Amino acid sequence: MAILKDEWLIPVGGICLAIALLVDRFVPGDGVLDLVLGILIGLAIALNLAGLHKSRNR
């Protein structure tokens, strides 16, 4: 069972990337913040690639 429907993969990936960019730009951080940013950016990459793959096969 998929957590997200196929049509929501790319928008959620874009939102994760936007949040990561805004947090990186406007929030002063330490090591924990770098971990969160890495997770958000990695999640954005994975969701966008999966969304592109799923939309290619339609």
Side-chain angles (χ1 to χ4, degrees):
M1 184 168 116
I3 295 173
L4 290 174
K5 292 184 179 181
D6 292 344
E7 61 266 7
W8 284 100
L9 291 173
I10 293 176
V12 171
I15 290 170
C16 287
L17 185 60
I19 291 170
L21 290 173
L22 288 172
V23 167
D24 187 37
R25 182 74 177 157
F26 295 114
V27 176
D30 54 355
V32 176
L33 187 63
D34 290 338
L35 175 68
V36 172
L37 288 175
I39 290 171
L40 283 172
I41 292 173
L43 187 61
I45 291 170
L47 287 172
N48 284 327
L49 287 175
L52 287 173
H53 179 72
K54 296 279 186 176
S55 67
R56 177 185 66 110
N57 290 334
R58 278 191 229 163

